[in-house]
Each structure stands twice: as structure tokens, then as C-alpha cells.
């Protein structure tokens, strides 16, 4: 399963997200998103990152 990351609607890389939010927090967000995706794939997985904006995690 491919994972795509978007900050404020603009595609970004896992490395850039990891630098901004930290490795442990990113792992928790991805695990939570995978769980939500397995329950209902039509739910959008968004996280508010404060001054950075909204992080969207999408699975393809």
C-alpha cells in the first residue's frame, strides 16, 4: 500500500513530514490512519499541525 502525504493540499515527502513532526509522532499518525482506512477507506485522514497547517495521509 503506497502512502501519500499532503500539507495544506500540496504533496510532500515522508522525509519532509518526519523532519517537521518527528519520527515517533509520524509513526503513530500512520498507524492510526491505517486503522481508520481499514475500517472505512472513504474517511479522509487529516491532522492539524499547528502553524504548519493540515497534514493529510492518503493510501493508494
Amino acid at each position: 500500500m503506497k502512502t501519500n502525504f499532503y500539507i495544506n493540499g500540496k504533496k510532500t515527502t515522508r522525509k519532509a513530514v518526519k523532519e517537521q513532526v518527528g519520527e515517533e509522532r509520524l509513526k503513530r499518525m500512520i498507524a492510526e490512519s491505517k486503522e481508520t482506512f481499514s475500517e472505512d477507506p472513504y474517511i479522509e485522514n487529516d491532522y492539524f499541525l499547528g502553524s504548519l497547517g493540515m497534514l493529510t495521509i492518503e493510501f493508494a
Side-chain angles (χ1 to χ4, degrees):
M1 178 171 11
K2 184 176 178 181
T3 308
N4 297 319
F5 299 95
Y6 300 89
I7 294 181
N8 294 330
K10 295 180 182 175
K11 192 168 185 176
T12 188
T13 63
R14 177 188 294 258
K15 182 180 177 183
V17 174
K18 187 167 87 172
E19 288 175 359
Q20 296 191 13
V21 300
E23 186 173 352
E24 290 301 315
R25 185 175 179 198
L26 180 60
K27 283 182 182 180
R28 282 182 286 161
M29 288 190 285
I30 292 172
E32 183 180 314
S33 296
K34 282 183 180 179
E35 183 180 326
T36 303
F37 181 78
S38 68
E39 292 172 6
D40 186 359
Y42 295 110
I43 294 176
E44 190 170 275
N45 296 297
D46 292 328
Y47 299 92
F48 181 67
L49 302 177
S51 62
L52 297 174
M54 293 294 289
L55 169 68
T56 302
I57 300 175
E58 180 182 274
F59 299 103

